[in-house]
Structure formats: C-alpha cells, structure tokens
Amino acid sequence: MIDLSIIIPAYNEEKRITDTLVSMSNYLLRQEYHYEILVVDDGSSDKTVRVVQALQLTVPNIRILALERNQGKGAAVRKGMLEAKGSIRLFSDADGATPIEELEKVIHPICSGEVDIAIGSRYLENSDVQKKQPRYRVIWSRLVNKMVQRFLLPGIVDPHCGFKAFTATSAEALFQRSSINEWSFDLEILAMAKKMGFDIKEIPVKWIHDERSKGRISQLPTEIKNVYRIKKRLSKCYQQ
C-alpha cells in the first residue's frame, strides 16, 4: 500500500517541473514511507507531458495523468486526489514555492490522528517567507483573505497556500463533491470540510515566491464571485 501521494497540478510547466520533481524525489527517497508522485497535466499546450514522461525513465514513482483540455487547477487537483492511492494525499504547486522539506511538519498532525486536513500557511507567526510577493499581490491576497475569513472560512488565515494534506477519507469525500475548477477550488474544499466536520489545522511553512507565478489580479472578480457561489451552495446543501 502506498502511504503518501503527492499531487502536482501542471499547466505549461515544461520549464520548471523538472527541478520540482527531482527535488521531491531526492527528498522522498531518503524517507521511510512508500510514496507516489502524480503529475496531473491540465491540457498543457507546451511539452510538459513529454518532459515528465522523459523523467519517468530515471526518476522513480512518478505517474502522469492528462486532462484532454485545460479545465483549471481545481479540476487537475480533483483528478489527482481521486486517482491517488495514498492514505495521505498532499497537493503541491509545480513551482515548489513550499519546499518538499516542509512535508514532515505538515503531515505530522494527520499521522498522529490529530486532524483530517493540514494546510501550509504563509501568514502564521512562525511562517518563514523567504522571498515575498510583489506589493500589489500582497495587498490583493490580504484583501481576498479578509473577505474569505469574514464570509466563508473564519479562523483560516491562508486558505490559498498550495501545500495541503488530506487523509484518504477526507480527500475522497470532499473532492467527489467539489465543483469549482478555478483558483478558488481550495476555498470550496475547506468550506465543505468545515461543514462536514473534518478537523483542519494550519501549519506555518517556509515559502519562496516564484516570479513566474501564474496568479493574476485579473482573477480577483472570479474569486469574489466564487466566494458567494460557494457560500450559497453550502447554505442550500447543509441546511439544518
């Protein structure tokens, strides 16, 4: 049985996926648990799939799943979570902004049975942000987070960090029910988790901004729309 599955959503990542996968593999090979790395290609138009296929010849335990067309990060993570075999399932962004060495501290509360879901956070007291985002992105992120905390996820200070771990049970229950394919997918997942009674813990992690990040301020209107869409849907689905 595979103990750990790492899901990496990828869209046009031919230039940085190799470094991320090699770094992950080098670290995981030194650990004592079984693992798999699932790269879920989200309909890339570049050579991402071919790059990963070439790596499979020399880097062990990598699987690649390919969506036929570009659907969004949420769709890619959903595919990986539901195809994964691990008893713990973590998704990590392709840029490796949170280094794989942070894995142990994030999955520890799951392994100990303390929680069902553990999420990396850039905004806790002991978080280690080694390279900050541009100021406009910091302002955008904080504004969105304040809105999210007020209307959807009170108490969770960084719902967007791309380093989140789930038990197999929570992953299957949540991602089978999720519907959002855009960047807001993790807001939906965490909001459903709270409604369904899964225990969540934020863990301070190291984080290094990548200048090639694909987050754009133009996504803000969709983020806001999705917050209200999620709240409305959950109110209907989980009425007392």
Side-chain angles (χ1 to χ4, degrees), residues 139-155:
I139 294 171
W140 163 34
S141 179
R142 293 302 174 92
L143 286 174
V144 171
N145 280 353
K146 284 185 178 181
M147 182 186 67
V148 169
Q149 287 185 59
R150 180 175 180 182
F151 292 104
L152 195 63
L153 293 169

Side-chain angles (χ1 to χ4, degrees), residues 1 9 11 33 52 58 90 105 125 137 154 181 186-187 189 237:
M1 178 178 290
Y11 177 66
Y33 40 72
V52 177
T58 56
L90 175 139
K105 69 167 74 168
E125 182 178 354
R137 287 186 56 123
N181 292 338
D186 39 11
L187 304 183
I189 291 295
C237 293

Side-chain angles (χ1 to χ4, degrees), residues 92-140:
S92 175
D93 287 342
D95 61 5
T98 300
I100 189 61
E101 288 78 11
E102 299 295 280
L103 174 69
E104 293 298 325
K105 69 167 74 168
V106 171
I107 67 173
H108 175 74
I110 295 179
C111 294
S112 66
E114 179 185 351
V115 298
D116 306 290
I117 301 165
I119 63 177
S121 177
R122 298 162 291 183
Y123 302 143
L124 295 176
E125 182 178 354
N126 294 322
S127 301
D128 181 11
V129 179
Q130 296 196 345
K131 183 177 181 181
K132 294 183 178 180
Q133 303 176 81
R135 183 170 177 78
Y136 79 90
R137 287 186 56 123
V138 173
I139 294 171
W140 163 34

